[in-house]
Amino acid sequence: MTGLLRLHRERVQPDWIDYNGHLLDAYYLLIFSNNTTTFMDHIGLGEKERAEKGHSLFTLEVHLNYLREIKVGKETWTDTQVLGWDAKRLHVFYTLYAEDAPEPRATSEQMLMNIDMNQRRSAPFLPEVRARIEPIARAHAGLPRPENVGHVISLPPKK
């Protein structure tokens, strides 16, 4: 496996459009959240596996950068990059694109935690999930770090 994961596509629905005529800010996060669900399927934490094994991912933190507007009806897709991981967590970066221009529309940096749903507590990834994450993380380790990783909200100091 090489390169970013492009797992999720979604078309912008008319009821997702705000009074400015573009995608409402909350729906960017919805698309990223739906991408996480697709990514979970990819690493063995899909609906069937969650029901059988009792493990899922919870989102601990999200940083969302709005870069360009998206209009109604446009198909979007999301690239996923694994920035890091440990026994219980995944640090991921998503880049959202739309069909009418090649530039990214938004990015989202997220920290995800593996949860044992029976205990409702963090738990190590199951061996079969680790076996799917490891080659992705190894392949992504050599990729450039995205520009928006680690951004902090602040105003420049007053002079």
Side-chain angles (χ1 to χ4, degrees):
M1 194 215 103
T2 59
L4 301 173
L5 296 174
R6 184 167 290 170
L7 304 171
H8 184 74
R9 291 182 173 272
E10 190 159 359
R11 191 162 300 280
V12 174
Q13 301 302 306
D15 59 338
W16 298 359
I17 301 302
D18 68 11
Y19 48 83
N20 293 315
H22 57 227
L23 187 61
L24 183 68
D25 57 355
Y27 287 99
Y28 285 83
L29 187 55
L30 174 72
I31 294 170
F32 286 130
S33 183
N34 290 341
N35 184 71
T36 296
T37 300
T38 304
F39 178 60
M40 290 171 66
D41 292 340
H42 187 74
I43 63 171
L45 288 172
E47 186 177 352
K48 179 181 176 225
E49 294 90 354
R50 284 190 304 272
E52 290 174 1
K53 307 285 183 163
H55 281 245
S56 187
L57 287 180
F58 283 15
T59 304
L60 298 179
E61 187 171 350
V62 172
H63 296 194
L64 185 53
N65 290 281
Y66 302 97
L67 305 174
R68 290 172 184 80
E69 65 182 359
I70 303 175
K71 300 287 188 169
V72 68
K74 299 300 179 191
E75 183 179 31
T76 65
W77 60 89
T78 307
D79 285 346
T80 298
Q81 182 175 351
V82 174
L83 297 174
W85 71 296
D86 62 20
K88 299 178 182 182
R89 295 173 298 177
L90 277 164
H91 182 196
V92 296
F93 191 84
Y94 301 144
T95 305
L96 179 65
Y97 296 90
E99 66 182 319
D100 57 344
E103 301 86 15
R105 299 310 177 87
T107 62
S108 183
E109 180 180 6
Q110 301 190 10
M111 186 65 69
L112 309 172
M113 172 76 77
N114 187 65
I115 301 294
D116 177 332
M117 296 300 291
N118 296 318
Q119 303 294 320
R120 302 295 284 194
R121 296 184 59 131
S122 66
F125 289 109
L126 297 170
E128 57 270 30
V129 174
R130 272 198 322 271
R132 289 186 178 190
I133 294 170
E134 191 169 59
I136 298 167
R138 192 171 36 253
H140 289 186
L143 295 174
R145 199 160 176 85
E147 182 180 324
N148 288 340
V149 170
H151 275 197
V152 175
I153 296 174
S154 66
L155 294 172
K158 292 185 179 185
K159 294 182 182 190

